[in-house]
Amino acid sequence: MFEFCSDPKSLEGLRWFACYFTTGKHLLFYQSFLVVIALMLVTVPCALAMGFAGALAARSHVAPLRWIGKGYSALARGVPDIAFFLFVPLALDQGLEWLRHKTKCPDWDLPVRQGNDFVVCAQAKLPLSSAPQWQHELYGVSLAVIAFAFVFGAFAAFVLSGAMNAVPKAQLETGEAYGMTRRQITWRILIPQMWVYALPGLSNLWMILIKATPLLFILGVEDIVYWAREMGGTKTQAYDYPHGDWRLWYFLGLLVFYLSLTKVSEVFLARLSRRLSHGQATMAGEEMRRAA
Amino acid sequence: MSCVETIQNYAFRSIGIGERLLPKADFTLCDHFVLIGSGLIWNVYFAVLALCSGFFFATAVALARNSRLAILRKPAQWFIFVFRGSPLFIQFFIAYEALTLLPRNGLEIDLWFAQFTAETRWLTRAWAGALIVLFLNTSAYSAEIFYGALRSVPKGDLEAADAYGFTGWMKFRKIIWPTMLRLAWPAYTNEAIFLTHATTLVFFSSFPAWQQKGDALYYASYLADKTFNPFIPYPILAFYFVLLSLGIIGLFGLAYRRLNRHLPGTAGGRLRPRPFMVR
């Protein structure tokens, strides 16, 4: 990066660190922070959509739909989330390959499960073995995002259905009195009003999501934990920048990163909640009205 | 191999009793159930010890957090902030790295009356190191819950205590503490469930599963790796954990009933799961 970095062995003190922290690998390390934040931002709308669908299903008048909705949100709370992170990508991968196998190779007569192996024809592989590296990586990352969306969708479904139940019944009854259909009541009265009730739960969910991101490491994504382990490990004299076992320092760095992320989110969400409470018939809204 | 033999060989595999080698091929449903169930011993071990010890420490931290003295309040605030604001996964990594940095052959402790060597190697083992992290973690979360409850102890209760001449320890033990627990209990139940779930992280962070003695998730993922079929081990794991969660809700429900036994009628008699995630 800097000119004086051309001969790392001769460096000392501050200059050594300046060069050390700007090596190519460190730049990748910094990038992975952005990747993690980007993944969170992608996951949130997916999880919200899943949660929304789950919450609506849980209120449905069709019994099987209601069972699915309720079971979905109950299951994810009864089972450790990490089990889902391990299960969903693998299950999804096999499910997709099996479907492609069925459509692309109809005359394949061997069973898909042979003892301890899962065998599909070459055309059904996802991604194809001839595909470039970035496609494999993208596929892995999307599976991870889906796993996250699945788990947090269940949490969100729980929060949102609670919020839907918190909207005063009188509001919905007024809608009925005006001759609105069930669908109209849901979309015009229930959903616009539920957000303020959902906000505390959703902000909590965001905090949980932040703290779940290191689990990407378990899914094999090259995230910040991966890089921190990689960079922190003992580097012998064979490397340009030899050093001892610095993993502790790298992980302390990650700790600071996460602490600041949660702190910033906390402040931001508190502001948002103030905003949304404005003029609402809730305790917070009433307090703001009195104070004004 | 019949299922009874499997149970004999593997029911306590996770604590090193029974067959040394894990099954390598031809996994039956029985293998799955027994091996994953055997791993559950560790989950229960971590959850029970962390919760039981964390409970008391959390009470202390909550009181410190509520203290008027900054010297007590500030450390409690920071403790809660650090452990609640960062991922448990990272905490495991940091603890492991820090504990391995301790000298291999023990710390030489030189007190003026005696010299001895403190063994430190056991700290890097999961049963101790991970337990410490879980203990601190649940203490922080519970302390925040208890602190919230402490703040909402009704003023009238305190005034009544004063009127009866309760002071200091007696006032705390007889009035504040029971009320605080009663208010905090639903959220604390939730925390207990989440902590039990969090115990599955232990062997997936840096703590190695020594001699393949792992927890339920460790064995579930072992089986999924070997059979390449996630559809059997993970649902079994889910089944066990749903049972465990229900067990926790049942136990905490009993405690809740006892905490509320003086209240008239059915009001608040039943523990209802709280519609709120606290983690």
Side-chain angles (χ1 to χ4, degrees):
Chain A
M1 186 107 177
F2 303 111
E3 275 169 27
F4 55 80
C5 293
S6 51
D7 183 18
K9 299 277 182 200
S10 65
L11 292 167
E12 267 180 39
L14 266 183
R15 286 194 148 194
W16 189 90
F17 277 104
C19 293
Y20 175 69
F21 282 121
T22 49
T23 54
K25 284 215 162 172
H26 268 94
L27 296 182
L28 282 177
F29 176 49
Y30 305 141
Q31 257 177 34
S32 65
F33 282 89
L34 296 181
V35 170
V36 165
I37 293 177
L39 275 181
M40 278 196 290
L41 294 180
V42 173
T43 309
V44 167
C46 301
L48 269 184
M50 299 269 299
F52 201 70
L56 282 180
R59 284 178 73 86
S60 164
H61 273 212
V62 188
L65 256 182
R66 195 166 61 231
W67 296 332
I68 293 177
K70 291 201 166 155
Y72 172 51
S73 78
L75 196 66
R77 281 178 301 122
V79 180
D81 49 358
I82 172 177
F84 282 104
F85 294 141
L86 294 176
F87 172 74
V88 172
L90 200 54
L92 207 63
D93 181 46
Q94 292 193 352
L96 287 175
E97 286 195 343
W98 182 78
L99 279 181
R100 282 167 60 94
H101 177 80
K102 281 286 167 203
T103 50
K104 297 215 166 180
C105 321
D107 34 84
W108 184 282
D109 50 359
L110 292 169
V112 172
R113 290 210 182 278
Q114 300 170 10
N116 288 346
D117 283 318
F118 181 84
V119 187
V120 291
C121 59
Q123 299 96 302
K125 283 259 181 257
L126 255 181
L128 293 173
S129 45
S130 57
Q133 180 62 26
W134 66 266
Q135 283 190 11
H136 284 268
E137 278 171 21
L138 188 70
Y139 182 65
V141 170
S142 357
L143 284 183
V145 168
I146 292 173
F148 268 76
F150 181 82
V151 171
F152 284 92
F155 287 157
F158 188 68
V159 170
L160 290 180
S161 63
M164 285 180 183
N165 289 332
V167 173
K169 284 278 173 300
Q171 300 268 356
L172 308 183
E173 281 160 10
T174 311
E176 265 171 45
Y178 274 94
M180 288 178 150
T181 61
R182 234 185 105 74
R183 170 168 305 197
Q184 280 175 327
I185 292 172
T186 305
W187 286 98
R188 296 194 191 167
I189 299 182
L190 184 66
I191 291 172
Q193 289 199 59
M194 72 173 189
W195 296 110
V196 68
Y197 300 101
L199 189 72
L202 289 181
S203 11
N204 212 332
L205 210 55
W206 168 250
M207 298 298 199
I208 306 176
L209 177 65
I210 292 177
K211 288 181 265 173
T213 47
L215 298 180
L216 283 170
F217 169 69
I218 294 177
L219 300 181
V221 177
E222 293 191 358
D223 74 331
I224 45 183
V225 180
Y226 169 86
W227 282 111
R229 271 166 66 110
E230 192 83 335
M231 319 290 291
T234 310
K235 299 277 183 292
T236 55
Q237 291 296 327
Y239 289 85
D240 279 345
Y241 299 93
H243 60 73
D245 189 350
W246 283 2
R247 275 179 296 185
L248 182 60
W249 303 114
Y250 276 90
F251 280 117
L252 284 176
L254 293 193
L255 186 79
V256 171
F257 167 70
Y258 277 109
L259 286 179
S260 36
L261 206 56
T262 43
K263 193 78 206 168
V264 168
S265 310
E266 225 170 63
V267 171
F268 175 76
L269 289 169
R271 283 215 187 135
L272 189 67
S273 137
R274 260 184 76 80
R275 256 286 167 74
L276 283 185
S277 301
H278 208 89
Q280 287 282 344
T282 56
M283 205 163 84
E286 183 63 17
E287 270 170 18
M288 283 166 81
R289 191 184 63 81
R290 288 225 188 105
Chain B
M1 197 158 57
S2 74
C3 195
V4 177
E5 275 176 62
T6 311
I7 291 176
Q8 279 171 353
N9 287 341
Y10 292 116
F12 296 103
R13 175 62 182 77
S14 62
I15 46 175
I17 301 173
E19 198 70 30
R20 177 86 197 271
L21 286 173
L22 293 180
K24 286 268 186 291
D26 305 323
F27 300 92
T28 60
L29 208 55
C30 182
D31 288 342
H32 280 88
F33 265 103
V34 172
L35 210 52
I36 296 175
S38 139
L40 213 59
I41 296 172
W42 279 114
N43 295 103
V44 173
Y45 161 85
F46 283 125
V48 168
L49 286 188
L51 281 171
C52 288
S53 49
F55 175 79
F56 295 101
F57 189 51
T59 311
V61 175
L63 285 177
R65 170 96 164 76
N66 197 33
S67 164
R68 247 178 258 125
L69 297 174
I71 195 164
L72 288 175
R73 196 179 63 236
K74 285 288 166 194
Q77 269 173 345
W78 273 98
F79 173 74
I80 292 175
F81 172 63
V82 167
F83 278 92
R84 286 186 76 227
S86 64
L88 179 60
F89 197 57
I90 301 286
Q91 291 165 19
F92 275 132
F93 271 111
I94 290 180
Y96 184 73
E97 298 304 338
L99 291 173
T100 45
L101 283 185
L102 292 175
R104 266 288 159 87
N105 38 10
L107 283 175
E108 301 283 338
I109 295 177
D110 190 1
L111 297 173
W112 55 274
F113 56 90
Q115 290 179 335
F116 61 96
T117 317
E119 274 297 323
T120 50
R121 292 192 66 170
W122 55 276
L123 279 171
T124 58
R125 296 270 162 75
W127 68 264
L131 184 62
I132 294 172
V133 177
L134 284 169
F135 159 71
L136 292 174
N137 188 274
T138 188
S139 297
Y141 278 96
S142 317
E144 182 70 14
I145 295 172
F146 288 163
Y147 169 69
L150 203 59
R151 301 289 289 179
S152 33
V153 170
K155 206 170 77 178
D157 287 18
L158 302 178
E159 284 165 0
D162 288 336
Y164 274 98
F166 279 97
T167 48
W169 170 249
M170 280 303 273
K171 184 178 167 188
F172 173 73
R173 173 68 190 77
K174 295 282 179 196
I175 311 289
I176 300 177
W177 198 51
T179 311
M180 178 193 92
L181 284 185
R182 191 158 49 80
L183 294 174
W185 209 250
Y188 188 59
T189 309
N190 212 352
E191 160 60 19
I193 294 175
F194 269 98
L195 182 87
T196 312
H197 290 178
T199 56
T200 51
L201 265 178
V202 171
F203 293 105
F204 279 84
S205 56
S206 38
F207 287 98
W210 194 55
Q211 292 181 345
Q212 294 188 308
K213 293 179 201 164
D215 74 329
L217 188 66
Y218 176 81
Y219 287 127
S221 81
Y222 170 85
L223 291 167
D225 275 354
K226 287 279 181 253
T227 60
F228 211 64
N229 180 0
F231 295 98
I232 298 173
Y234 289 119
I236 292 176
L237 178 85
F239 164 76
Y240 276 128
F241 267 95
V242 168
L243 280 191
L244 210 56
S245 307
L246 289 178
I248 293 173
I249 291 178
L251 269 181
F252 275 68
L254 286 182
Y256 194 52
R257 200 175 292 165
R258 186 171 162 74
L259 285 170
N260 280 328
R261 67 192 183 284
H262 60 290
L263 292 181
T266 51
R270 234 175 71 84
L271 176 66
R272 288 175 49 203
R274 244 167 94 97
F276 224 78
M277 310 287 160
V278 273
R279 277 262 161 191

